[in-house]
Amino acid sequence: MEYENVAGHIYDIQGYAVHDGPGIRTTVYTKGCPLRCLWCHSPESQYHEFELSYLPVKCLGTDLCRDACINACPEGAISREEPVQALDGSGMIQKAKIDREKCTVCLKCTEACITKALYPSAWNTTVDEVYNRLDKDRGFFKNGGGVTISGGEAMDQFAFTYNLAKRLKDSGLHICLDTTGCAATELYEKILPYIDLFLYDIKHMDTVMHKKLVGVGNELVLTNARFLAEHGASLQIRVPVIPKLTDKEDNLRQTAEFCASLGEAVKLVQLLPYHKTGKMKYDRLGWRYPLSNVEPPAEAFMLKTLEMFQSYGLNCQLY
Amino acid sequence: MATTTKFDIPISERIQGLKAKRERINKDLRLNIERNRIITEYYRTHENEYPVMKRAGFLHKWCTTRAINIDDDDIFLGDAGPHTRSVHFDIEQTAHSWFKGCFDDTDERFRAAWQVPGSIWVSDAEREELLHLADYWVGKDIGATGRGLMPPDYFERFPPGMDITQLTGSYPGHFCPGYEKAAMVGFGAVRQQAIEKLEEIVKHTTADNVRSELFYRAIIKTCDGMIQMSKRYAEGCREKAKTEENPERRAELLRMADSCDWIIENPARTLWEGLQVILFYQNLITADGTHWADSPALIDSFLGPLAENDIKNGDLTEAQAQELFDAFLLQIGNQIIMFPKPNNDMLIEAHKNGKTMFDLQGGMQNIAAGMLITLGGQKTDGSGDYTIATEMMLLAYSRLRVAEPSLALRINKHTPERIWELGIHCSKRCGGLPQFNNDDVIIPGQMSRGVSLEDARRYGVFGCVEPGISGMEWSLAANCGAFGGGAGFLGLMNFCIHGNVDPMTGAQGRLPCKKLYEYETFEELQAEFERQIKHSLDFSARMNQFAALIFDTAWPVLSASIMMDGCMESGKDVTWGGAKYTGHGSMISAIGTIGDSLTVIKKLCFDDKTVTTRELYDALVANWEGYELLRQRILNEVPFYGNDMDEADDLVVWFTNLYADHYNSRPAPHNGTLNAGGLDLYWVGQGKRTWATPDGRRTGDTVSPASDPRQDAIKNGPLSYVKSVAKMPWVKFRFGGAINIRLDANSVRSEESTAKVRELIESYFTQGGIQFCFTVADTEVMRAAQKNPQEYQDLIVRIAGFSAYFTHLPVETQDDYILKYEIGV
């Protein structure tokens, strides 16, 4: 089996990822993405550089560790919070407080933190290491399940993703690639033989709106979708339904028309209603949540949209 | 968004009425005094009768004199006592251990406990009668028989004041009665067989068969009683029909009367009759008493053809058949056995907090007499055994959303697609009911103890997760706790750490040993743990022989023997070893806590040598006070069971094998087998009694439930979780084992999610898992239910071995349950 043991950086591996393709799947999440979607629910996936994540609920007070993180920080960016009651009722504690302006993300504090309240948002790994972890779940993949490589944008770490996909595919697993479509067409051409199913996002049909919502235009997305459809790929199109942003009827109709125009390559269209569960991840990074005034769409609206997609002869489902 | 599916078919108005009635009665329960009055009077006036004849005499008396209770809206007949949902208890079991405390208390405290809304109502006159009845049993109850025969080493370990649960470890019983024989052969044929056997013995009475003569006479008497009871219900229906104005109901009552005249004596002809026999027979088993968790298994096997036949003949529509299953489910759930025994402090406190007696009972156990219904499976030839009754029972549970009786669904390669779908749908709606049981592990497990392949295919599950051969096996669930098979293992580990002392109480163990800092190697500590485990299991096996002798001596269980394969042939009661198979089970608990603790010692003290055994010992003695940094290191750095990391799982595999191999090979009463199991119901309570453990657990904190990993140790999600658990030697766990996993509400929302849950179960089973159970509940929903329990009355969650109404659980168990799943399993 020919592959290179390339290095990569990932921020999670999740078993029983039931929304990421057919059957039972384990998904590996690579870090780094060319898009900046307003509704992004994995903010730690956006940049290639690691962030400092902080989960204050796990901090048991800096008395306990004798200011481990404060002493470890070369920038003086960590100090003591105002005293609060400890969760276990043992008394008042002062948790770590991070000055994000001063923090240079050297991550020295994450090595010192004993409760892992402070931790890096991702880790460095290799194709072999990830393969060995995924291989443990092989027993669950018998009926059409397998591995999904997701992001960020997995194509942004192409050498890693390509070699991982190749190694997994050669070992007999079913591989999905979850992609925004924002990568060079020749890279898709190269990886195509190793991907059984592309989970492919169509976020908006109007390129101006697309740029406004996710930071880049949609030309490459649509071109690559057509390319893949014409070159024998299987596509599962995912359409985020974000109230006020992507839920206008003409946009959704054009999306459905586009999906239909790709022909038999499209096996399934998934309508993904906006949800807010990503918000707490922004808090951990100390970032502002960009969509504070958007609520999840009503069920009735989702059902109506579902019918509309189905009326184009598309195999379509919610979630 | 709770998606409605093709299985969400509304229940009929009549069934809604019956369900509402049951909820009304839950707030106004009555004790079953009648049964205890009849047995006390009979035993008082027949003291010299031989035990098995005395039992038969009582059962006959009960059948022929008990009140016949038929409510206006009843579709089925029969309760344990004179009222619907009468709360049953056995006065001869533990005459005084809880009785005096409750009823001999001051008037004021008695009334505050028993005569307030929400309690089990006991009038002043009933109170006086109960005390009077209990007086008779002083020195004559089952506990007294036990005290008369247990050996000195028992009393060294368990001081006086013990009751039956300590004498036997748990209630006897725990078996799958011969319902198929009761319904499809009938008591008339059994009676005839007993007469023939008797005639043989009379011709040639020997030392070997003289006791059997008494047994057959007892069987004939019990059969007579049962046949009469059914005819008395027939009479009751006719009486009621006389004054019934609604012509449809009048006709229905007359049909019921005709059927009651026929059934019990003769084989059931229709679905209604088959279901009614199960209920009458269950009434007899409950009245016979002294046992618990007598579980109907494989009933769909014979109910299916009856239903098919009724539908084919045009006697029933499918909707009417479904209504019968719905009504049956509600009716069989009316069998309530008091468990645990209350005390007035507990009751008064509960009433103050607005809790009912029903809450107290249901929060501890499956209140429907610990019953579990097993559906599906295989015929003796190995083909699948799934019928229209399997489907209709699953539909009844999912539509009615009731937590009792508990429910199991057998899984094998023949399980139809629709049964899979229904089972998973039902489990989503009905908090972990059914559990899924793996034929491919359980059948070889049963065969490993000498059960034939054909019989092993007819296993059922009783109690929580325990397999037994339906209608062929008697079981004494002998040591769920007291003999060291159960709660003992964690205690034994602490003995190994603290030099044979329980730091919680200062009590000494049986085998002097070193303290943690005195072991030179990890292997030395392992060897000590092994020595302690084997010694404890040997004691347990020895006491099992005596526990069985208690019942063999004076407390036969005719209601079990009467339909049990082997008893009629051998002329022996089940308690004399008459059943075709006899099994005695044991359960270990806190598997995760023990395994993780061993891993911590091995990794930190012996492999990595980053902590000395002395330092860890001191930290434990101090209950981690002053050692929080070390505790945090352990919690955050050591790999724990449940994450598919061999380093942690290997030690769990090591000691569970050790346990099962040793226990399964010990001699069992009546030449039956001892069977290892893995389950407990009391991880909160056990945690309270257990000193700090090396896995970072503080004194008093909960221990890991059932065979599950520790609540907060799951870091790699459901696949790694079940893969870890699958490494345990489940085939050797012939007495079963449980895992519970909560699936995030998001992960079961879509239509395809059912197929994915099925795949998860199938992959787990292929990897060797024995049983699977899942609950879908949002943490947010559970939190809301804590705040507004009235609005969440039918929220059902799966506890270690049974499903319970969430709002009935004690608050600390609720909190523990929420915590367990907040960490993202």
Side-chain angles (χ1 to χ4, degrees), chain A residues 112-152:
Chain A
C113 180
I114 216 131
T115 65
K116 308 284 181 222
L118 292 160
Y119 60 98
S121 63
W123 69 91
N124 290 310
T125 186
T126 63
V127 167
D128 280 351
E129 207 172 85
V130 174
Y131 174 83
N132 289 336
R133 162 66 189 86
L134 296 171
D135 189 47
K136 285 182 153 200
D137 291 351
R138 187 179 289 272
F140 297 97
F141 300 153
K142 289 188 187 126
N143 300 318
V147 168
T148 298
I149 308 174
S150 181

Side-chain angles (χ1 to χ4, degrees), chain A residues 66-268:
Chain A
R66 297 184 203 91
D67 296 332
C69 55
I70 297 172
N71 295 334
C73 180
E75 308 296 331
I78 307 182
S79 59
R80 292 173 161 232
E81 264 288 4
E82 292 302 308
V84 291
Q85 186 73 42
L87 265 185
D88 64 3
S90 60
M92 302 301 280
I93 55 172
Q94 286 182 280
K95 298 186 180 210
K97 180 180 179 181
I98 301 161
D99 185 339
R100 297 275 182 181
E101 298 282 301
K102 286 189 189 167
C103 174
T104 61
V105 202
C106 70
L107 300 175
K108 289 195 172 117
C109 57
T110 63
E111 288 158 32
C113 180
I114 216 131
T115 65
K116 308 284 181 222
L118 292 160
Y119 60 98
S121 63
W123 69 91
N124 290 310
T125 186
T126 63
V127 167
D128 280 351
E129 207 172 85
V130 174
Y131 174 83
N132 289 336
R133 162 66 189 86
L134 296 171
D135 189 47
K136 285 182 153 200
D137 291 351
R138 187 179 289 272
F140 297 97
F141 300 153
K142 289 188 187 126
N143 300 318
V147 168
T148 298
I149 308 174
S150 181
E153 173 49 67
M155 297 292 278
D156 236 30
Q157 296 186 44
F158 183 75
F160 174 75
T161 300
Y162 173 76
N163 281 287
L164 180 63
K166 199 169 169 189
R167 173 144 202 218
L168 290 164
K169 183 72 199 157
D170 286 345
S171 80
L173 291 180
H174 180 277
I175 316 297
C176 287
L177 178 70
D178 182 7
T179 180
T180 62
C182 288
T185 306
E186 58 266 30
L187 296 183
Y188 285 105
E189 187 175 8
K190 199 173 167 201
I191 205 168
L192 181 56
Y194 305 105
I195 304 298
D196 295 287
L197 180 66
F198 288 84
L199 308 178
Y200 200 99
D201 294 0
I202 305 278
K203 297 169 198 286
H204 207 288
M205 289 304 291
D206 176 64
T207 191
V208 178
M209 273 304 285
H210 198 273
K211 191 160 179 5
K212 216 168 133 186
L213 297 175
V214 310
V216 300
N218 67 7
E219 292 81 2
L220 194 52
V221 178
L222 303 183
T223 305
N224 284 332
R226 285 192 200 98
F227 173 84
L228 287 169
E230 285 160 11
H231 289 79
S234 294
L235 297 174
Q236 182 166 321
I237 307 283
R238 313 174 113 184
V239 182
V241 181
I242 318 294
K244 302 182 203 172
L245 305 183
T246 70
D247 69 341
K248 295 284 173 304
E249 192 182 342
D250 55 344
N251 175 51
L252 291 170
R253 275 200 177 278
Q254 284 168 30
T255 308
E257 277 165 24
F258 179 76
C259 292
S261 77
L262 296 175
E264 285 186 1
V266 177
K267 310 298 174 196
L268 178 66

Side-chain angles (χ1 to χ4, degrees), chain B residues 436-447:
Chain B
F436 299 84
N437 300 79
N438 186 6
D439 278 8
D440 289 343
V441 165
I442 293 175
I443 290 173
Q446 297 306 304
M447 289 171 68

Side-chain angles (χ1 to χ4, degrees), chain B residues 379-529:
Chain B
K379 295 179 182 144
T380 50
D381 65 3
S383 58
D385 197 1
Y386 299 88
T387 69
I388 189 173
T390 324
E391 288 188 21
M392 288 189 167
M393 281 299 291
L394 287 168
L395 266 174
Y397 272 89
S398 69
R399 287 150 21 110
L400 290 168
R401 296 188 67 156
V402 290
E404 71 280 3
S406 203
L407 185 67
L409 178 62
R410 284 180 48 178
I411 295 298
N412 54 54
K413 63 175 186 279
H414 306 292
T415 311
E417 176 73 31
R418 188 174 157 83
I419 294 292
W420 267 109
E421 279 182 32
L422 254 170
I424 291 166
H425 166 78
C426 184
S427 204
K428 286 184 197 174
R429 287 280 184 277
C430 205
L433 297 181
Q435 59 176 296
F436 299 84
N437 300 79
N438 186 6
D439 278 8
D440 289 343
V441 165
I442 293 175
I443 290 173
Q446 297 306 304
M447 289 171 68
S448 77
R449 64 188 185 96
V451 176
S452 73
L453 173 61
E454 291 70 26
D455 291 349
R457 283 172 175 152
R458 300 302 282 172
Y459 81 85
V461 186
F462 53 76
C464 295
V465 295
E466 304 90 301
I469 312 304
S470 184
M472 300 182 206
E473 175 167 12
W474 173 247
S475 164
L476 194 68
N479 42 1
C480 287
F483 291 156
F489 276 30
L490 189 52
L492 295 178
M493 191 189 70
N494 267 345
F495 280 157
C496 295
I497 292 170
H498 298 276
N500 196 35
V501 174
D502 175 6
M504 204 76 183
T505 60
Q508 291 264 332
R510 311 283 296 180
L511 297 179
C513 65
K514 290 183 174 180
K515 292 183 176 171
L516 179 59
Y517 55 83
E518 294 170 324
Y519 297 100
E520 306 278 338
T521 61
F522 183 67
E523 290 68 31
E524 191 191 356
L525 172 72
Q526 276 184 296
E528 181 56 42
F529 191 35

Side-chain angles (χ1 to χ4, degrees), chain B residues 480-735:
Chain B
C480 287
F483 291 156
F489 276 30
L490 189 52
L492 295 178
M493 191 189 70
N494 267 345
F495 280 157
C496 295
I497 292 170
H498 298 276
N500 196 35
V501 174
D502 175 6
M504 204 76 183
T505 60
Q508 291 264 332
R510 311 283 296 180
L511 297 179
C513 65
K514 290 183 174 180
K515 292 183 176 171
L516 179 59
Y517 55 83
E518 294 170 324
Y519 297 100
E520 306 278 338
T521 61
F522 183 67
E523 290 68 31
E524 191 191 356
L525 172 72
Q526 276 184 296
E528 181 56 42
F529 191 35
E530 179 170 346
R531 187 173 76 108
Q532 297 269 356
I533 287 176
K534 286 184 172 170
H535 178 270
S536 164
L537 293 175
D538 290 346
F539 177 78
S540 169
R542 178 174 142 72
M543 291 306 132
N544 255 317
Q545 299 285 356
F546 288 97
L549 198 56
I550 297 173
F551 297 94
D552 189 312
T553 302
W555 304 97
V557 185
L558 279 169
S559 61
S561 304
I562 206 163
M563 293 297 162
M564 182 72 74
D565 277 13
C567 290
M568 290 302 290
E569 293 80 354
S570 64
K572 287 181 184 168
D573 187 74
V574 290
T575 61
W576 310 344
K580 187 167 183 185
Y581 301 105
T582 300
H584 297 239
S586 144
M587 293 290 189
I588 55 166
S589 60
I591 286 169
T593 304
I594 296 169
D596 293 343
S597 294
L598 293 172
T599 304
V600 168
I601 297 170
K602 180 172 188 290
K603 183 176 170 57
L604 297 189
C605 303
F606 291 102
D607 291 354
D608 300 354
K609 297 194 172 61
T610 53
V611 179
T612 65
T613 46
R614 180 75 216 198
E615 190 183 357
L616 182 57
Y617 174 81
D618 290 342
L620 289 168
V621 169
N623 184 19
W624 304 105
E625 289 265 343
Y627 293 88
E628 187 59 26
L629 274 185
L630 174 58
R631 199 176 87 88
Q632 289 299 326
R633 264 188 60 198
I634 288 170
L635 293 177
N636 289 292
E637 288 173 19
V638 179
F640 281 156
Y641 172 53
N643 296 298
D644 190 19
M645 294 161 95
D646 287 340
E647 189 179 359
D649 300 341
D650 282 352
L651 284 164
V652 170
V653 171
W654 168 69
F655 85 86
T656 49
N657 264 298
L658 171 67
Y659 154 64
D661 287 341
H662 194 68
Y663 191 71
N664 286 345
S665 69
R666 296 299 92 194
H670 297 120
N671 296 320
T673 50
L674 294 185
N675 303 311
L679 172 79
D680 78 310
L681 307 176
Y682 309 114
W683 68 95
V684 173
Q686 191 190 343
K688 278 187 185 167
R689 295 190 304 274
T690 304
W691 192 260
T693 38
D695 59 340
R697 191 191 134 271
R698 293 193 179 99
T699 301
D701 285 354
T702 56
V703 298
S704 59
S707 317
D708 286 314
R710 247 178 51 163
Q711 293 89 320
D712 51 352
I714 311 303
K715 291 177 177 149
N716 287 344
L719 300 187
S720 302
Y721 182 117
V722 304
K723 197 161 164 236
S724 269
V725 179
K727 294 175 191 173
M728 282 189 34
W730 287 116
V731 173
K732 297 177 186 174
F733 275 58
R734 314 188 293 213
F735 209 52

Side-chain angles (χ1 to χ4, degrees), chain A residues 15-16 18-19 21 23-24 26 58 60 64 88 114-115 133 136-137 139-140 142-143 299 317 319, chain B residues 1 628-629 632-633 636 644 698 718-720 722-723 746-747 749 752 756-757 759-760 763 766-767:
Chain A
Y16 205 63
V18 294
H19 304 302
I24 293 184
T26 299
K58 288 197 80 179
L60 298 177
L64 173 67
D88 64 3
I114 216 131
T115 65
R133 162 66 189 86
K136 285 182 153 200
D137 291 351
F140 297 97
K142 289 188 187 126
N143 300 318
E299 185 174 4
Q317 71 178 37
Y319 304 103
Chain B
M1 262 179 245
E628 187 59 26
L629 274 185
Q632 289 299 326
R633 264 188 60 198
N636 289 292
D644 190 19
R698 293 193 179 99
L719 300 187
S720 302
V722 304
K723 197 161 164 236
N746 278 320
S747 74
R749 189 173 288 160
E752 55 170 8
K756 296 196 180 191
V757 173
E759 269 179 57
L760 180 60
S763 331
T766 309
Q767 293 171 39

